[in-house]
Amino acid sequence: MRKWTLEERYKTLESSEQIKYLHEKIAQSPYRQLFHIQPVTGLSSDPNGFIFHNGKWHLFYQWCPWGAVHGLKYWYHVSSPDLIFWKNEGIGLKPDTIYDNKGVHSGSAFNIGNDLYLFYTGNHRDENWIRTPWTCAAKLVNGKFQKLDKPLFGPLKNYSEHQRDPKVFYNEKIGKYFILLGAQTEDKKGTALVYSSDNPLENWEFKGELKVKGYENFAGMWECPSLQKIGEDDLLIFSPQYIKLDGRGNSTNHNIYFIGKMDYDTLTFYPYKDFEFLDYGFDFYAAQLASNIPNNDRAIMISWIGLPDNHYPTEEEDWEGSMTIPRELTIKNGNLIQKPITGIEKLREKKLELDGILTIPSELQIDILGEKFNLKLFTKQDGTGGFSINYNKSSNSLTVSKKEMTNHYNEEIGEVLEIPLKKNLKSLRIFLDKSSIEIFINNGESTFTSHIYPTDEEIGYDINGDFVLTAWNLRTSVKDDFIV
Ligand code: FRU
């Protein structure tokens, strides 16, 4: 693993020429994705500023240009007509003011009238490396984002330095704009801070902490909170840090959700039941809900395939990270249903006949008819190894293991995970790109997302049980042009 000095990690990008060679180098990697957003160079982490504006979808990702390392963060901009075909647009926001001298950290986007605004955290550090997080905004003017002269507000005194990731929204019933900010109390407990205003560009007032009934002081810091009404229910998602949770191995980074009712008068969220994991995979974090979606009976979400403080094999090649396929979220009988974005089917090439050792397809639809089901993807020619998915009828769960794969990474947080199912296993829809796997279980009742790095020898599969399998290859939908 490469050791980075502070100076290397926080180097400012002066010209695109400085990283052109990196783009050319990583283009050779067998793990570059074909239908997932990935970093143009270096590292991509949280999705930011996800919005529908002026007939187009915009998304940004936390970007560190120099390599697979968390250092000076930029917002890199991608756009799409349909959430399926994406192209690179270049840098959205760069750290070029005193308020964000050590990075433009995560945030959201919001349309004000016909204008697109980005709301982000300016990560300031002084010469003693003391951090001040500023909540800032920028406006899209003639294709470029112009930062407002001054931040909207600074940090509150009686919380730790961790106050960041503004999610902006408007509540019609209250008639006000809101910002939800992930935060940590002075005694290192997690929370979210609520601000409101009549005008999204000024007069923001701190209203109090978001109270989630039963989860007062839960975990260490609530990163990347998002809140949205879906039909008659409210969906709250965030990524609580520094806590081990049941069934998640040794990981201390999770992405969870609550469904319930939000009371804006008392700033209390009443969950119908306990939190659930937004995804049961190894690498899923910092999911964000899109703003300004066409109808309010669903949400659209995208997430980082990756985790903070983790290391992946492509680090050697000086890049890492990817976004998930965007997902459509609905709530049925109090349960969250997640589906891959409608229209992804248009990427399908002809249906494949599988014979066990063909190159693995990119999409598999498996309808399970019996009580026994075992699947191994990426086995070797002799049938050994592979990424296994086993159904346990008695505990009604799936066990997923990457233990038998050749490439091992992040072993300390565990290589085997258990996914509890709500109903018997009926179907799996699996998407495999060059370095990721996403599984939609029982039509989206639960999901599993991970990186996966098969070698040249790991190209087979093995499947057992009573099932109907359909498979397709998908064509490339994300352009990897060097636009910086
Ligand atoms: C989550 C996070 C955010 C922060 C950003 C910095 O992964 O830590 O809280 O704004 O990453 O890149």
Side-chain angles (χ1 to χ4, degrees):
M1 203 192 310
R2 174 172 165 186
K3 287 256 182 287
W4 293 76
T5 63
L6 205 60
E7 203 179 316
E8 284 169 334
R9 284 166 56 200
Y10 283 88
K11 197 162 83 177
T12 318
L13 186 64
E14 305 294 346
S15 130
S16 60
E17 287 305 311
Q18 290 175 290
I19 51 170
K20 196 152 190 270
Y21 79 98
L22 279 173
H23 183 77
E24 282 160 11
K25 180 172 103 175
I26 65 181
Q28 309 303 319
S29 168
Y31 298 121
R32 291 295 279 175
Q33 303 270 63
L34 302 179
F35 55 98
H36 287 82
I37 298 160
Q38 62 190 336
V40 61
T41 63
L43 174 124
S44 62
S45 54
D46 312 1
N48 295 153
F50 192 16
I51 192 165
F52 187 67
H53 169 79
N54 234 347
K56 226 161 82 171
W57 292 91
H58 297 267
L59 180 78
F60 304 78
Y61 52 77
Q62 285 283 283
W63 179 50
C64 189
W66 305 110
V69 66
H70 291 267
L72 189 65
K73 295 286 175 75
Y74 292 67
W75 281 33
Y76 189 88
H77 185 191
V78 292
S79 73
S80 168
D82 55 4
L83 294 167
I84 295 157
F85 289 91
W86 292 91
K87 63 173 188 170
N88 289 343
E89 294 279 359
I91 296 175
L93 294 173
K94 53 180 158 197
D96 57 1
T97 73
I98 185 69
Y99 302 106
D100 54 28
N101 68 340
K102 290 293 178 275
V104 186
H105 283 188
S106 287
S108 56
F110 198 77
N111 287 324
I112 305 175
N114 292 325
D115 293 320
L116 170 57
Y117 280 83
L118 305 179
F119 293 78
Y120 60 95
T121 299
N123 184 49
H124 172 87
R125 285 190 189 268
D126 68 11
E127 56 288 358
N128 300 317
W129 212 244
I130 306 286
R131 190 198 324 240
T132 310
W134 297 96
T135 299
C136 307
K139 178 183 179 182
L140 180 62
V141 184
N142 298 330
K144 291 266 173 255
F145 289 93
Q146 277 179 10
K147 295 179 180 174
L148 304 196
D149 287 346
K150 289 227 156 64
L152 300 173
F153 52 86
L156 292 174
K157 292 233 154 12
N158 43 346
Y159 289 86
S160 83
E161 57 164 4
H162 298 291
Q163 299 177 50
R164 59 175 177 265
D165 311 340
K167 174 68 182 169
V168 180
F169 54 94
Y170 181 73
N171 183 270
E172 281 180 8
K173 199 166 142 244
I174 305 277
K176 280 192 187 295
Y177 295 91
F178 284 87
I179 285 182
L180 204 58
L181 204 63
Q184 189 193 54
T185 60
E186 275 176 322
D187 57 348
K188 300 203 181 322
K189 297 288 184 334
T191 187
L193 308 175
V194 185
Y195 290 76
S196 80
S197 175
D198 291 326
N199 177 344
L201 298 178
E202 57 192 15
N203 302 332
W204 285 97
E205 255 181 64
F206 174 55
K207 291 298 186 187
E209 288 183 13
L210 174 75
K211 296 179 272 296
V212 181
K213 272 277 172 243
Y215 290 87
E216 296 78 10
N217 298 326
F218 172 64
M221 148 87 196
W222 294 3
E223 297 196 293
C224 305
S226 264
L227 176 61
Q228 191 184 311
K229 194 163 160 56
I230 302 184
E232 291 310 305
D233 306 302
D234 289 298
L235 172 69
L236 171 67
I237 69 178
F238 59 90
S239 298
Q241 267 189 319
Y242 317 130
I243 188 171
K244 285 192 187 167
L245 294 172
D246 283 351
R248 303 300 303 157
N250 284 325
S251 180
T252 54
N253 295 293
H254 319 271
N255 207 158
I256 63 168
Y257 73 90
F258 290 97
I259 296 171
K261 285 264 185 264
M262 177 66 198
D263 180 346
Y264 285 88
D265 293 317
T266 62
L267 303 181
T268 308
F269 189 93
Y270 295 93
Y272 299 150
K273 52 186 179 194
D274 267 1
F275 72 80
E276 291 191 45
F277 296 104
L278 206 41
D279 190 278
Y280 286 89
F282 293 104
D283 309 300
F284 184 98
Y285 200 70
Q288 185 172 102
L289 304 175
S291 302
N292 191 33
I293 58 168
N295 51 21
N296 70 358
D297 64 348
R298 64 198 54 219
I300 295 182
M301 184 182 86
I302 198 160
S303 178
W304 170 24
I305 306 181
L307 289 182
D309 312 320
N310 279 233
H311 298 277
Y312 299 91
T314 56
E315 265 188 38
E316 304 279 322
E317 302 170 350
D318 275 330
W319 72 283
E320 135 189 345
S322 170
M323 296 292 124
T324 60
I325 296 171
R327 295 181 184 176
E328 269 177 46
L329 272 46
T330 49
I331 297 175
K332 282 212 184 89
N333 307 322
N335 290 315
L336 190 68
I337 305 293
Q338 304 187 49
K339 301 228 166 148
I341 195 70
T342 305
I344 188 101
E345 299 73 21
K346 64 185 169 198
L347 297 183
R348 286 175 181 167
E349 293 179 326
K350 72 176 182 352
K351 264 193 203 166
L352 296 174
E353 303 298 329
L354 299 178
D355 68 2
I357 47 162
L358 277 178
T359 307
I360 296 248
S362 10
E363 182 186 349
L364 297 114
Q365 169 70 45
I366 308 171
D367 295 305
I368 291 133
L369 310 170
E371 301 200 333
K372 281 214 174 108
F373 182 77
N374 297 315
L375 171 65
K376 269 188 167 194
L377 295 164
F378 304 110
T379 51
K380 296 188 188 137
Q381 290 248 339
D382 64 4
T384 61
F387 180 93
S388 62
I389 304 167
N390 292 331
Y391 179 44
N392 322 302
K393 174 81 177 71
S394 55
S395 55
N396 205 30
S397 62
L398 287 175
T399 307
V400 182
S401 169
K402 56 178 184 177
K403 246 188 166 137
E404 307 296 323
M405 296 290 292
T406 303
N407 275 322
H408 295 271
Y409 46 94
N410 302 322
E411 288 152 277
E412 61 289 351
I413 64 171
E415 294 185 289
V416 180
L417 282 174
E418 193 89 352
I419 312 172
L421 302 183
K422 296 202 164 93
K423 299 199 193 109
N424 290 348
L425 184 63
K426 288 274 179 285
S427 69
L428 298 174
R429 190 171 173 193
I430 305 179
F431 291 89
L432 297 165
D433 205 340
K434 295 293 178 185
S435 50
S436 65
I437 174 165
E438 284 149 291
I439 311 177
F440 294 83
I441 302 158
N442 285 348
N443 276 319
E445 264 178 21
S446 13
T447 64
F448 175 99
T449 303
S450 285
H451 274 304
I452 188 160
Y453 302 92
T455 59
D456 288 350
E457 280 86 53
E458 293 167 307
I459 55 165
Y461 70 93
D462 184 20
I463 181 163
N464 289 297
D466 197 2
F467 60 87
V468 178
L469 166 65
T470 324
W472 299 265
N473 270 336
L474 302 185
R475 57 201 170 101
T476 304
S477 66
V478 177
K479 276 194 170 172
D480 197 15
D481 297 339
F482 182 66
I483 299 177
V484 175

